[in-house]
Amino acid sequence: MRINKYIADAGICSRRKADELISNGNVKINGLTVKELGVDVAEGDVVEVNGSVIEAGRRKVYVAVNKPAGVITSMDDDRERETVADIVADIPERLFPVGRLDYNTTGLLIMTNDGQLTYTLTHPKHEVYKTYVAKVEGVLSGARAAKLRRGVDIGGFVTSPARVKVLKQMPRYAVVEISIREGKNRQVRKMFAAVGNKVRELKRTQIGEIRLGRLKEGHYRKLTREEIEYLKSL
Ligand code: URA
């Protein structure tokens, strides 16, 4: 395995960053500093980064983040905006978001360095119900709720059955819980738009059995062993 991949798999940093560490002389294989990029690590080799021995793929980290509005679901942003990476910055492993939430959507996002799990969870075959609470303009009538449940056309794509519950109806707005299995771009916003209700606020509260609970915006918590096992069983 390439040395930069080995370092990235150990959750130390990205491959690109690993190349920098190597060029700067911060990496040793079997006690000898390597400065060339593209060197391979063989079974049994001892790799050190900044003097500490690392092991590829050893520690897997799984966290639930409560993403605030105005934060990007990506690991870096060329416009220097806040990203979810900033929320988990004190975790040494490099974590990646599982799926994404829009810039203005808040709530539950799972982040991990377990590439296999990320792949499984985002694969359409395994899509679990994701639950959102939406504050929408106007009245969400019974007929509109029924349409959302059956499926609506969001521009060349008809959504599959959804679970919809009106939690509160006020004269000018409604608070609606909606669960969907797919993850098309801006899907919930487009679904409400398709029945004539503009989404004002959107928060994800649940992914399968994983709940946001009382986690505060901008904070994270480690998933429990039961939660990790549940995700792996999907
Ligand atoms: N649906 C949306 O419209 N936005 C999200 O962030 C997630 C689902």
Side-chain angles (χ1 to χ4, degrees):
M1 184 191 289
R2 279 285 154 86
I3 180 70
N4 62 357
K5 179 165 174 8
Y6 188 95
I7 295 170
D9 281 3
I12 307 295
C13 58
S14 66
R15 284 195 210 180
R16 191 153 38 103
K17 194 90 190 143
D19 283 339
E20 275 174 36
L21 290 172
I22 297 161
S23 304
N24 293 338
N26 300 70
V27 177
K28 286 182 184 169
I29 301 180
N30 300 326
L32 295 175
T33 302
V34 279
K35 283 197 161 185
E36 275 162 78
L37 305 179
V39 170
D40 281 325
V41 181
E43 185 97 40
D45 280 349
V46 177
V47 178
E48 285 169 68
V49 174
N50 294 327
S52 306
V53 174
I54 61 158
E55 265 177 74
R58 183 138 175 249
R59 193 172 97 117
K60 296 270 198 285
V61 179
Y62 305 84
V63 300
V65 169
N66 186 347
K67 185 185 100 57
V71 173
I72 311 213
T73 309
S74 110
M75 294 312 284
D76 44 48
D77 180 51
D78 46 15
R79 282 155 63 188
E80 306 274 301
R81 291 170 298 183
E82 195 179 350
T83 73
V84 291
D86 299 321
I87 298 175
V88 295
D90 65 341
I91 298 178
E93 286 78 7
R94 184 172 166 82
L95 306 185
F96 297 91
V98 178
R100 46 182 302 121
L101 288 176
D102 297 339
Y103 186 64
N104 284 321
T105 302
T106 62
L108 181 60
L109 182 72
I110 292 171
M111 294 183 71
T112 181
N113 57 351
D114 182 340
Q116 184 57 43
L117 185 74
T118 305
Y119 176 78
T120 328
L121 284 179
T122 51
H123 195 283
K125 194 171 79 182
H126 298 275
E127 294 248 331
V128 292
Y129 272 101
K130 280 157 281 198
T131 301
Y132 300 83
V133 174
K135 183 174 173 185
V136 305
E137 286 178 5
V139 175
L140 192 88
S141 64
R144 288 177 176 187
K147 270 195 206 166
L148 289 173
R149 285 189 194 103
R150 275 197 307 271
V152 287
D153 190 333
I154 55 167
F157 177 81
V158 177
T159 58
S160 28
R163 299 175 186 153
V164 178
K165 193 157 113 191
V166 179
L167 301 178
K168 179 150 93 176
Q169 180 63 68
M170 301 300 278
R172 290 171 183 279
Y173 71 91
V175 179
V176 186
E177 186 179 79
I178 180 164
S179 304
I180 58 170
R181 291 186 70 173
E182 302 138 327
K184 297 281 175 209
N185 188 31
R186 301 178 72 79
Q187 180 162 340
V188 174
R189 292 175 197 274
K190 286 179 183 167
M191 287 173 75
F192 280 105
V195 297
N197 298 84
K198 188 173 161 53
V199 170
R200 281 259 158 238
E201 288 167 25
L202 187 62
K203 176 181 184 175
R204 181 154 68 191
T205 55
Q206 209 171 322
I207 298 172
E209 290 175 13
I210 314 291
R211 290 168 193 275
L212 181 64
R214 291 177 188 279
L215 187 61
K216 291 203 182 75
E217 273 186 25
H219 288 247
Y220 73 84
R221 69 171 174 86
K222 295 255 168 91
L223 294 187
T224 64
R225 197 171 343 140
E226 289 75 22
E227 286 174 324
I228 296 166
E229 274 164 22
Y230 159 74
L231 290 173
K232 287 184 175 173
S233 74
L234 292 171

